[in-house]
Amino acid sequence: MRNANNSITKLCGLAVLILSLALTPFLAHAQEMKEAADLYNAAAKSYKENPTEALKSAEKAIQICTKINDEEANKLKGQAVILIPLAHIEIGKKLFKDGDMDGSIDHLRKAQKGAEENKDTKSYNLATRFLANILFSKSTKELKAGSFQSAIDLA
């Protein structure tokens, strides 16, 4: 009877081990997808208030989804990619308010490029509108300062 119990215990232990080994990739995948989804959700909720952190979160979600590379991950990646230009637009607006025109222009151009790559006309037009206003403002300052060539170069 004791040998029968030991055999059953060993078989149960072996079954648990095999099951654990078989489920490990699925559990890891699920955990990575949860992390990517959490990062995406955080970025989507905060890109207007905290665009720098949202940008980092969206980029990290994209990295994880690229690594996973299945249908669910690719769908989430597509959603996260759309947030990148929006975060750059918000960063550009904040930098402009802080007086950093060059930084603002840089982020708005990144937004344009990302939106163009994603075929996101709405974000592209939004970035272009803000960029045009900032370039106009910067060229006006250059004209007032007597830097005619700089103003022409901006046009």
Side-chain angles (χ1 to χ4, degrees):
M1 188 73 165
R2 193 175 232 187
N3 284 339
N5 284 340
N6 281 343
S7 295
I8 292 172
T9 303
K10 286 180 183 179
L11 284 175
C12 287
L14 183 59
V16 168
L17 176 64
I18 291 170
L19 187 59
S20 295
L21 290 174
L23 290 178
T24 299
F26 297 110
L27 295 175
H29 170 78
Q31 181 60 37
E32 287 178 325
M33 274 306 298
K34 182 183 180 326
E35 181 183 0
D38 288 347
L39 287 164
Y40 166 76
N41 288 330
K45 289 177 185 173
S46 69
Y47 78 90
K48 287 196 178 214
E49 296 81 28
N50 195 350
T52 303
E53 285 303 313
L55 183 61
K56 290 176 189 175
S57 293
E59 288 172 341
K60 180 69 176 163
I62 291 167
Q63 287 175 342
I64 293 169
C65 290
T66 300
K67 178 183 166 190
I68 295 171
N69 194 26
D70 68 7
E71 186 177 341
E72 182 183 9
N74 289 335
K75 182 179 177 184
L76 183 60
K77 178 181 173 181
Q79 293 171 325
V81 165
I82 291 171
L83 286 177
I84 301 293
L86 294 173
H88 279 296
I89 290 168
E90 294 302 321
I91 293 169
K93 288 166 44 177
K94 287 182 186 281
L95 289 172
F96 178 73
K97 287 179 185 173
D98 293 343
D100 183 358
M101 284 196 191
D102 291 333
S104 177
I105 291 167
D106 181 52
H107 278 280
L108 291 170
R109 287 194 170 135
K110 287 178 183 178
Q112 278 184 314
K113 182 179 180 206
E116 186 174 35
E117 289 170 358
N118 301 332
K119 297 177 176 58
D120 180 359
T121 306
K122 183 178 177 182
S123 294
Y124 182 85
N125 290 341
L126 186 61
T128 301
R129 187 172 68 237
F130 283 122
L131 184 59
N133 288 335
I134 290 169
L135 289 172
F136 179 77
S137 177
K138 188 171 181 177
S139 66
T140 301
K141 286 182 180 181
E142 295 293 331
L143 281 173
K144 287 180 181 177
S147 301
F148 300 113
Q149 188 59 48
S150 294
I152 291 169
D153 293 341
L154 287 169

